[in-house]
C-alpha cells in the first residue's frame, strides 16, 4: 500500500475548499497538512479537527485569538495573517490546492510553487496577473501544475500533448450566467443579490458575479492562453447554457474533443488530485435522455464587454492582465457594496487599462504587485469620482 500523499488547502472554507475536503474524504489516500481560511472561524476549526490538519491559518490577523481558542483542546498549530498564509504554503506537502479567491491567493500560491509542490490551481488570478512569471516559478520549483477551473481541467483532459502540431483551437464554454438573454438596459440596475444567482454552478460570491458579467470568462481566456500556450486567435468562447460540455479542443483534421459531465467541481478536483489515474467518485452521472439537448449561442461582446477587454489584454500583453484583474476586483467589491453599477465594472476596468497602457512588462513579482496596487488605486479613484458626481 503506497504511503498517503499530503495536501495543503489554501482557502479551505470556500466553495472549492469545501468540495476539495469532500473529494479527499472519498479518495481516502491523502492526508491534510495545513488549511487556511479567512473570517469563518467556526468552519475552519471544524475542518481542522475533522481532517487532522497539523497547521491551520486565518488570513485575518484580528481573528487569531478566536481560532486559537476554538482549537485550544487540540495540538493543531495556529497562525494568522499574511505570514501565516506563507507559512502554510511553505510547510512540506506533496500537493497544494490553490483556492483562495482573487489576487490575495497570488503570494501564498507562489510560495508553494517555489518549494516545488504540485499545484492544483483553482485561483485563476495567479495566471491572469502574473502569467509568464508564475509559470517560470512553477518550472523553477519543479512541481506539476494541474488546472481545476472546470473549463481548463476539461481541456487538460482532452488536449493530446503528442498532437500539439495539430492543435487548432480551444473552445471555452460559458453558461452565459443569469443575464444571458438580458439587454444592457435591463442589466443597468441589477443588484449583487440578483447577479450572484448562477443558473448551473454553486460557487463563491465573487466568481458568481463575475459569471454574470462574463468577467469570469474573460479571466479564463487569459488563463487558457498561459496554461496551454496558444495565441489569442486560437481561443474561442461559445455560450452553452446547460454547462454540460465543460470545454473543447479542435484539431487540424476537423475533430473536436470535449469533456462532459454534470456541473460539479468535484469531478475536476478529483481528476487533478488523482492525475494521471482517474478516481472513483460519487458524483451525479449524466443522464442523456433526461438532458435531451445541448444548446449553443455565439457570445455577445457588445452586451458583455469583459470578453473584448480580455482580448485587448491578451494582444497588448505585458502587465495588462494584472491591470484588468486588479481594476475588476476593485469594481466588483464596489458593486457588491452597492457603490457602483453592474455595467460600470467593465467601464472602470477599461478606463484603468487605457490609463496604464504604456506600463512596461513586469520583470519581477514585485513589479506585478506594484502594477496591481496602482490599478487598484486608479479604479478606486474612478469609482469615487462617479459616486460623488451621482
Ligand atoms: P469562495 O469565496 O467560496 O472562497 C474563497 C476562499 O478564500 C475562502 O476560504 C476564504 O476564506 C478565502 N479568502 C477570502 N479572502 C481572502 C484573503 N484576503 N486572504 C486569504 N484568504 C482569503 O471562492 P471559491 O468560489 O471557492 O473560489 C476560489 C477560487 O477558485 C477563485 O479564484 C475562483 O475564481 C476559483 N474557481 C472557483 C470555482 C467554483 O466553482 N467555486 C470554479 C472555478 C474556479
Ligand atoms: Mg470556470
Amino acid at each position: 500500500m503506497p504511503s498517503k500523499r499530503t495536501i495543503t488547502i489554501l482557502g479551505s472554507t470556500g466553495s472549492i475548499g469545501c468540495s476539495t475536503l469532500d473529494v479527499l474524504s472519498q479518495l481516502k489516500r491523502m492526508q491534510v497538512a495545513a488549511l487556511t481560511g479567512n473570517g469563518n472561524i467556526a468552519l475552519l476549526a471544524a475542518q481542522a479537527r475533522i481532517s487532522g490538519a497539523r497547521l491551520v491559518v486565518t488570513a485575518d490577523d484580528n481573528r487569531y485569538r478566536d481560532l486559537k481558542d476554538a482549537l485550544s483542546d487540540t495540538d493543531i498549530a495556529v497562525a494568522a495573517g499574511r505570514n501565516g498564509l506563507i507559512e502554510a504554503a511553505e510547510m512540506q506537502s506533496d500537493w497544494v490546492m490553490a483556492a483562495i479567491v482573487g489576487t490575495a491567493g497570488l503570494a501564498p500560491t507562489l510560495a508553494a510553487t517555489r518549494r516545488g509542490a504540485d499545484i492544483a490551481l483553482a485561483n485563476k488570478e495567479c495566471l491572469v496577473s502574473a502569467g509568464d512569471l508564475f509559470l517560470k516559478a512553477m518550472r523553477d520549483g519543479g512541481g506539476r501544475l494541474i488546472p481545476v477551473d472546470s473549463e481548463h481541467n476539461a481541456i487538460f483532459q482532452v488536449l493530446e500533448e503528442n498532437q500539439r502540431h495539430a492543435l487548432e483551437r480551444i473552445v471555452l464554454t460559458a453558461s452565459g450566467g443569469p443575464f444571458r438573454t438580458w439587454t444592457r438596459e435591463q442589466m443597468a440596475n441589477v443588484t449583487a443579490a440578483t447577479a450572484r444567482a448562477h443558473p448551473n454552478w454553486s460557487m463563491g460570491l465573487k466568481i458568481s458575479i463575475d459569471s454574470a458579467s462574463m468577467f469570469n470568462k474573460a479571466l479564463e481566456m487569459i488563463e487558457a492562453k498561459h496554461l496551454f500556450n496558444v495565441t489569442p486567435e486560437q481561443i474561442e468562447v461559445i455560450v452553452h447554457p446547460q454547462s454540460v460540455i465543460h470545454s473543447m479542443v479542435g484539431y487540424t483534421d476537423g475533430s473536436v474533443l470535449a469533456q462532459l459531465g454534470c456541473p460539479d467541481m468535484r469531478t475536476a478536483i478529483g481528476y487533478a488530485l488523482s492525475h494521471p489515474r482517474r478516481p472513483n467518485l460519487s458524483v451525479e452521472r449524466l443522464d442523456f435522455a433526461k438532458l435531451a439537448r445541448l444548446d449553443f449561442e455565439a457570445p455577445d461582446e457588445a452586451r458583455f464587454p469583459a470578453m473584448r477587454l480580455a482580448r485587448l489584454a491578451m494582444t497588448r500583453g505585458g502587465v495588462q492582465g494584472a491591470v484588468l484583474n486588479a481594476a475588476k476586483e476593485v469594481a466588483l467589491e464596489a458593486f457588491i457594496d452597492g457603490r457602483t453599477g453592474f455595467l460600470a465594472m467593465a467601464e472602470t476596468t477599461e478606463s484603468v487599462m487605457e490609463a496604464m497602457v504604456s506600463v512596461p512588462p513586469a520583470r519581477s513579482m514585485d513589479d506585478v504587485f506594484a502594477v496591481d496596487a496602482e490599478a487598484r488605486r486608479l479604479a478606486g479613484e474612478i469609482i469615487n469620482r462617479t459616486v460623488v458626481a451621482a
Side-chain angles (χ1 to χ4, degrees):
M1 178 100 180
S3 64
K4 285 191 173 187
R5 288 170 306 153
T6 48
I7 179 166
T8 284
I9 307 176
L10 303 172
S12 66
T13 53
S15 162
I16 292 286
C18 291
S19 295
T20 303
L21 284 164
D22 183 278
V23 167
L24 295 183
S25 71
Q26 296 194 40
L27 297 181
K28 295 195 177 68
R29 288 193 317 275
M30 292 185 94
Q31 169 67 44
V32 170
L35 298 177
T36 82
N38 195 23
N40 193 343
I41 300 298
L43 177 59
L44 187 57
Q47 288 180 335
R49 283 175 194 275
I50 295 168
S51 68
R54 286 186 290 130
L55 169 68
V56 57
V57 178
T58 165
D60 186 348
D61 279 307
N62 298 320
R63 303 301 303 277
Y64 172 78
R65 230 330 101 205
D66 296 339
L67 185 58
K68 187 86 185 153
D69 290 348
L71 294 169
S72 57
D73 59 327
T74 72
D75 56 5
I76 303 170
V78 172
R82 280 181 56 90
N83 292 343
L85 292 177
I86 301 294
E87 188 185 337
E90 286 180 342
M91 185 173 150
Q92 176 49 41
S93 69
D94 300 312
W95 277 95
V96 169
M97 166 57 76
I100 291 175
V101 62
T103 317
L106 184 51
T109 307
L110 262 173
T113 295
R114 288 185 175 133
R115 74 167 166 82
D118 287 335
I119 308 284
L121 189 72
N123 178 288
K124 57 195 86 184
E125 295 86 350
C126 284
L127 283 169
V128 176
S129 288
D132 296 338
L133 287 169
F134 181 78
L135 290 175
K136 178 165 186 322
M138 269 315 314
R139 281 193 303 274
D140 291 349
R144 290 181 295 166
L145 177 65
I146 308 217
V148 168
D149 210 348
S150 59
E151 295 77 1
H152 306 74
N153 186 269
I155 294 163
F156 184 81
Q157 292 194 33
V158 297
L159 201 169
E160 303 170 316
E161 279 302 336
N162 59 349
Q163 304 287 356
R164 264 274 166 186
H165 63 281
L167 170 67
E168 200 165 59
R169 60 183 171 146
I170 272 171
V171 185
L172 295 174
T173 51
S175 71
F179 307 140
R180 178 172 61 86
T181 58
W182 290 34
T183 62
R184 279 180 70 77
E185 289 68 32
Q186 286 174 305
M187 284 187 264
N189 295 315
V190 297
T191 61
T194 326
R196 73 175 301 178
H198 198 278
N200 306 332
W201 296 91
S202 156
M203 309 182 286
L205 172 67
K206 291 183 177 174
I207 184 176
S208 298
I209 296 175
D210 278 350
S211 298
S213 64
M214 300 287 278
F215 259 113
N216 183 45
K217 211 49 55 184
L219 301 184
E220 290 180 354
M221 291 162 75
I222 304 174
E223 181 185 13
K225 175 179 177 295
H226 290 296
L227 269 176
F228 304 114
N229 193 21
V230 289
T231 63
E233 295 73 32
Q234 286 177 297
I235 301 172
E236 275 179 42
V237 174
I238 188 79
V239 175
H240 164 45
Q242 291 92 354
S243 300
V244 163
I245 298 180
H246 295 150
S247 276
M248 303 177 260
V249 178
Y251 294 95
T252 48
D253 62 352
S255 296
V256 176
L257 301 194
Q259 186 262 349
L260 286 71
C262 291
D264 183 334
M265 288 306 295
R266 291 176 301 176
T267 297
I269 294 167
Y271 184 89
L273 297 180
S274 305
H275 185 74
R277 199 182 148 86
R278 282 183 192 275
N280 184 354
L281 289 181
S282 122
V283 292
E284 193 186 337
R285 303 316 197 226
L286 276 181
D287 179 338
F288 286 97
K290 209 159 100 193
L291 196 61
R293 55 188 274 182
L294 298 175
D295 295 306
F296 303 97
E297 295 163 12
D300 184 345
E301 294 190 8
R303 281 187 304 132
F304 297 101
M307 290 176 286
R308 177 175 57 76
L309 298 183
R311 292 209 181 277
L312 205 58
M314 287 191 290
T315 44
R316 285 177 178 171
V319 295
Q320 285 273 303
V323 173
L324 178 149
N325 183 57
K328 186 279 293 175
E329 278 189 21
V330 170
L332 172 62
E333 269 157 36
F335 173 66
I336 292 171
D337 296 345
R339 287 182 290 115
T340 198
F342 184 76
L343 301 177
M345 289 193 285
E347 289 158 12
T348 302
T349 304
E350 184 160 19
S351 301
V352 178
M353 287 171 70
E354 289 310 321
M356 294 183 70
V357 70
S358 49
V359 175
R363 277 173 313 195
S364 67
M365 284 310 301
D366 284 347
D367 289 350
V368 174
F369 288 119
V371 164
D372 178 274
E374 175 62 4
R376 279 171 201 276
R377 192 190 64 75
L378 282 173
E381 219 173 76
I382 293 171
I383 291 163
N384 287 342
R385 220 183 298 141
T386 358
V387 172
V388 172

